[in-house]
Amino acid sequence: MPIDPPRRHLLVVEDEPAINDSVTRRLEAEGYAVTQAWDGPGAVAAAAEETPDLVVLDVMLPGYDGLEVCRRLQQHRPIPVLMLTARDDEADILAGLAVGADDYLTKPFGLRELVARVAALLRRVERATELAGRSARVLQAGTVTIDTGTRRVTVEDQQVHLTPTEFDLLACLAAAPGQVLARDRLLAEVWDWPDATGTRTVDSHIKALRAKIGADRVRTVHGVGYALEVR
Ligand code: CA
């Protein structure tokens, strides 16, 4: 895959020096500027100071864990997060998605795959921002207002903070209000890496979105997909 990233700034958070260093060296070789952090508090401090474009975040960390780091980061501003989890630890994966991670990789992973995932996630966020700038518009579904220019969402005039993935999902649903969108279609439109992600990821992000905008605003059509309620 040809990757020609502009100089984006990444934050790599992992307490195991061998993994942190090899990931960092590889990402630097791909042209990224990389800051390293080694524990929970260090990650939150580095993110506040450096405002990275994306965070590669291990779950198991000293201080507080990657889930808590993710939760704290998303409180400040939406930031793309690629979570690293222990092999096959489904509980970690689902917990990570619930606190706003956009994608995950299970250990052990290949550096080539890591690079591809990072590039895909950055592309997705940048494309969304670019599209929003080009055709900024305000989508309305009942009392939910979605400004695709500023990526601001309000529910009953209260601002709601969504992660980039949650925002893209909501914007996708809101583009066809009341209409049922299949999980496969949501996967294809919102994720750049659908094969590796799977429709269960859609379910997890929908669950997180519901918790933020109100469960009854997103209707589940079992075995098919989801629809945004228009009332
Ligand atoms: Ca670790």
Side-chain angles (χ1 to χ4, degrees):
M1 190 189 309
I3 296 164
D4 183 21
R7 197 154 171 83
R8 295 283 178 247
H9 190 169
L10 311 181
L11 174 62
V12 172
V13 189
E14 163 66 277
D15 58 314
E16 286 168 61
I19 298 179
N20 193 323
D21 286 342
S22 64
V23 165
T24 296
R25 272 199 303 271
R26 178 60 187 266
L27 290 170
E28 283 173 344
E30 296 289 330
Y32 297 105
V34 183
T35 298
Q36 293 175 281
W38 312 89
D39 55 32
V44 172
E49 205 163 300
E50 314 265 349
T51 58
D53 297 297
L54 179 147
V55 182
V56 177
L57 179 61
D58 188 42
V59 173
M60 295 296 290
L61 293 171
Y64 37 82
D65 69 10
L67 300 174
E68 181 60 24
V69 171
C70 194
R71 204 175 288 123
R72 292 186 187 211
L73 294 185
Q74 303 295 349
Q75 279 170 1
H76 295 287
R77 68 183 175 106
I79 181 167
V81 172
L82 173 62
M83 195 80 95
L84 306 178
T85 67
R87 180 171 216 162
D88 290 337
D89 194 337
E90 195 170 278
D92 267 4
I93 293 169
L94 294 177
L97 295 175
V99 294
D102 294 276
D103 199 1
Y104 60 86
L105 262 182
T106 52
K107 290 179 171 178
F109 52 84
L111 288 174
R112 185 191 299 208
E113 189 178 10
L114 175 95
V115 166
R117 295 286 190 99
V118 165
L121 188 49
L122 283 172
R123 253 200 323 274
R124 177 149 68 79
V125 172
E126 279 156 17
R127 191 179 55 206
T129 310
E130 187 191 306
L131 281 177
R134 214 184 301 152
S135 59
R137 60 192 178 124
V138 176
L139 304 169
Q140 188 81 41
T143 52
V144 181
T145 306
I146 302 141
D147 187 328
T148 62
T150 58
R151 293 177 74 84
R152 269 171 60 106
V153 173
T154 59
V155 176
E156 286 167 4
D157 296 326
Q158 297 288 311
Q159 192 176 349
V160 180
H161 295 279
L162 301 182
T163 67
T165 298
E166 289 160 8
F167 182 89
D168 291 346
L169 256 183
L170 179 62
C172 195
L173 289 167
Q179 213 171 298
V180 181
L181 297 184
R183 299 192 306 170
D184 282 347
R185 177 164 162 207
L186 290 169
L187 196 58
E189 292 204 10
V190 175
W191 279 266
D192 236 14
W193 201 262
D195 293 348
T197 308
T199 50
R200 200 192 321 217
T201 305
V202 178
D203 300 338
S204 305
H205 285 278
I206 287 279
K207 193 172 163 194
L209 179 61
R210 275 202 172 112
K212 291 183 182 176
I213 68 166
D216 56 347
R217 292 196 164 86
V218 182
R219 181 160 50 94
T220 305
V221 180
H222 285 290
V224 183
Y226 298 98
L228 192 63
E229 296 287 12
V230 287
R231 42 170 192 79

